[in-house]
Structure formats: structure tokens, C-alpha cells
Amino acid sequence: PYVPTLHFNYRYFELIDADGKVHWWYGGGTDMTPYYLNENDCKHFHLTLKKACDKHDHSYYPKFKKWCDDYFNITFRHNERRGIGGIFFDDLNQPNQEECFSFVKDCANTVIPSYIPVVQSNYQRSYTTEERDWQLLRRGRYAEFNLVLDRGTKFGLQTPGSRIESILMSLPPVAKWKYAWDYKADSPEMKLMKVLKEPREWV
């Protein structure tokens, strides 16, 4: 429960018209889903992403951070975000292919330095049954987003002949739902919920 889930996916698309014209773009991002809020972990994660963005364009991090907060939003849960965000972008084809590829490579190379220190500082922490239950409830939210709102999942499920198991591999292997769960307003669980409802600027 004290080790966040990390999601990342960087991709290149290319389409060729009947007349031979090529259309290309990059998309993707990296975001983190903690179950208990550790502000130092969040700051480290976002700062690592910001440094990669700033190497290319200082407008990228704030723009792609907001895009991430807006995209990973479980709207039917009254605008509850899946996690504490990161960066997310699509349709990136400016200023040119070489620069876009360089940016995406730098983003991909942030995955290990942004996440492994978070894992190393938390994976040996002990936890209670109640904390494990909370993690499973949050994993339920992760499943809800992926099945109901994620564009990639929906596209895959609607594609004839697609490999369904491959598409659903992004879902957590274990999740839980509980009717009318309740936590005290000052609990660690509600500290996380406040950030999920009102995304913060971490750097």
C-alpha cells in the first residue's frame, strides 16, 4: 500500500493516405497513483518529469501536467483523479520529427529515476489489513477509469480481432469495491482524497 502504481506509455503513430501522404505524431505520458500520500515522493516524481520537459520547452510541463490531471479524471466519481498525475500529451508533431523523438526519449528515460527511488523508500514499510483494503479500493478506481474512460482501452475493445487479454493487462489483478465506506476527515486516506479531488502543483 505504500508503493505507488506507475503507468507510462510513449508511442509513435503513422498513417499513410491513399495518395501516399504521411501523417505522424507522438503521444503518451507518465503518471503515478499512490495509495497513501507522501509529498516528498510526489515532488520528486514531478520534478524529474519537469526537468525532462524543460530541456525542450518550458511550456511543456505545465501544459502536459494539466492535460494529465484533466485526462485521468473519473468524472462519474465527481471529478476524482486516478492518481497525483504526471504528464500526458497527444498529437505532438511540432517543431519537427527529430525534436519530437528526442523529447519522447528523454521522457521515457525519466521513468526509472522518477519511480525507483519512491519504491526503494517505501517497499519495506509494514502495513495493516485496513491499509491493504484501502489499496484495493483505490485499485478499483483504477479499473473503473481504464474500463469506462480510457480512450486506448475503448479503442482496443472495439477493434475487430483484437487480443482482449492484452488490452486488459493494464487492469490491476486484484481490486475491491465497498458500499458506503467511510474514513475520518483527518485520516491519511482522506488526505490523499483531497489531492485527488483538487490537483496540486508539486514543483
Side-chain angles (χ1 to χ4, degrees):
Y2 287 103
V3 177
T5 292
L6 183 78
H7 161 252
F8 72 94
N9 180 351
Y10 293 101
R11 50 199 182 264
Y12 172 76
F13 294 92
E14 185 173 283
L15 298 175
I16 303 176
D17 290 342
D19 62 4
K21 183 179 180 181
V22 176
H23 304 270
W24 62 269
W25 68 96
Y26 288 89
T30 309
D31 64 282
M32 192 166 73
T33 301
Y35 308 102
Y36 286 91
L37 190 67
N38 181 314
E39 295 192 4
N40 288 333
D41 289 345
C42 297
K43 290 174 182 177
H44 164 78
F45 178 73
H46 276 270
L47 181 60
T48 308
L49 297 179
K50 184 179 185 300
K51 287 178 179 177
C53 290
D54 286 352
K55 284 175 61 177
H56 297 268
D57 189 321
H58 284 273
S59 73
Y60 278 179
Y61 174 76
K63 179 168 58 177
F64 297 158
K65 192 263 187 195
K66 183 180 186 308
W67 199 336
C68 189
D69 289 336
D70 292 342
Y71 181 74
F72 293 103
N73 181 10
I74 309 174
T75 51
F76 55 85
R77 291 283 188 183
H78 307 289
N79 295 320
E80 177 184 311
R81 274 64 180 182
R82 190 176 75 175
I84 57 96
I87 59 171
F88 181 79
F89 58 89
D90 203 1
D91 302 317
L92 183 69
N93 60 8
Q94 297 293 330
N96 56 60
Q97 196 168 46
E98 182 180 353
E99 169 56 26
C100 289
F101 185 39
S102 176
F103 169 63
V104 169
K105 284 192 293 184
D106 282 339
C107 288
N109 285 331
T110 67
V111 170
I112 290 175
S114 71
Y115 183 56
I116 295 303
V118 174
V119 174
Q120 290 173 332
S121 65
N122 290 293
Y123 81 99
Q124 290 185 318
R125 295 180 63 180
S126 60
Y127 57 88
T128 65
T129 301
E130 291 75 16
E131 289 165 341
R132 172 63 172 161
D133 282 343
W134 171 251
Q135 180 187 31
L136 295 180
L137 287 171
R138 295 306 315 163
R139 285 183 169 179
R141 297 291 208 270
Y142 202 99
E144 290 173 10
F145 176 85
N146 284 25
L147 286 172
V148 179
L149 298 169
D150 185 70
R151 290 186 305 169
T153 303
K154 290 193 289 186
F155 176 80
L157 294 176
Q158 293 167 2
T159 301
S162 59
R163 296 181 302 173
I164 302 301
E165 280 71 22
S166 297
I167 297 163
L168 299 180
M169 284 299 292
S170 63
L171 296 175
V174 183
K176 178 181 281 191
W177 285 263
K178 181 180 178 182
Y179 182 72
W181 53 268
D182 186 37
Y183 291 88
K184 294 180 180 179
D186 61 348
S187 68
E189 291 80 8
M190 290 301 99
K191 181 181 178 183
L192 173 69
M193 284 296 294
K194 181 174 175 56
V195 170
L196 300 182
K197 292 279 190 177
E198 302 170 9
R200 283 176 49 181
E201 298 299 326
W202 295 104
V203 294

